[in-house]
Amino acid sequence: MIWITQWLCPSRHCAIAVAWDDQTTTPEEAEHQGEQVFSKGIVNRWCGICGQSLHVEHGRTSFKTMDEAKPRLESLERANLLARNILGKDK
């Protein structure tokens, strides 16, 4: 099953997300992967829209495999990058 780990503010704006397969990855490993984005300074550790602090949330998706999830995830990534460019980068 494919899961998604998101770093959300209280208003549920998502700063980053990591999709992962529970057959090969644990929630802790997914969190570690996401935390690398913050520790490398790629994204700030607060919401770029409202400035609030972030919390981690894990949720199961409807996808059974990464191959099945990939087109949807890539579509969402493109839309989010466009929105980030319109709103302004947080760095």
Side-chain angles (χ1 to χ4, degrees), residues 63 69-83:
F63 303 110
K70 189 175 179 179
R72 180 67 176 138
L73 294 172
E74 288 175 343
S75 173
L76 288 169
E77 181 179 35
R78 282 190 302 276
N80 286 327
L81 288 171
L82 176 61

Side-chain angles (χ1 to χ4, degrees), residues 5-18:
T5 297
Q6 300 178 85
W7 281 255
L8 303 164
C9 74
S11 296
R12 302 202 53 82
H13 302 131
C14 181
I16 65 168
V18 175

Side-chain angles (χ1 to χ4, degrees), residues 7 15-16 31 33-46 54 56 90:
W7 281 255
I16 65 168
E31 282 187 45
Q33 183 181 354
E35 288 297 323
Q36 296 304 303
V37 174
F38 296 113
S39 66
K40 292 178 181 175
I42 297 168
V43 175
N44 290 319
R45 193 175 284 284
W46 60 83
L54 305 173
V56 178
D90 65 343

Side-chain angles (χ1 to χ4, degrees), residues 17-71:
V18 175
W20 50 280
D21 188 330
D22 65 4
Q23 296 296 308
T24 58
T25 306
T26 66
E28 294 79 18
E29 291 168 332
E31 282 187 45
H32 178 73
Q33 183 181 354
E35 288 297 323
Q36 296 304 303
V37 174
F38 296 113
S39 66
K40 292 178 181 175
I42 297 168
V43 175
N44 290 319
R45 193 175 284 284
W46 60 83
C47 180
I49 296 172
C50 66
Q52 297 183 75
S53 62
L54 305 173
H55 69 276
V56 178
E57 185 175 295
H58 304 282
R60 186 178 0 196
T61 73
S62 61
F63 303 110
K64 293 185 181 11
T65 67
M66 277 296 196
D67 286 339
E68 182 183 348
K70 189 175 179 179

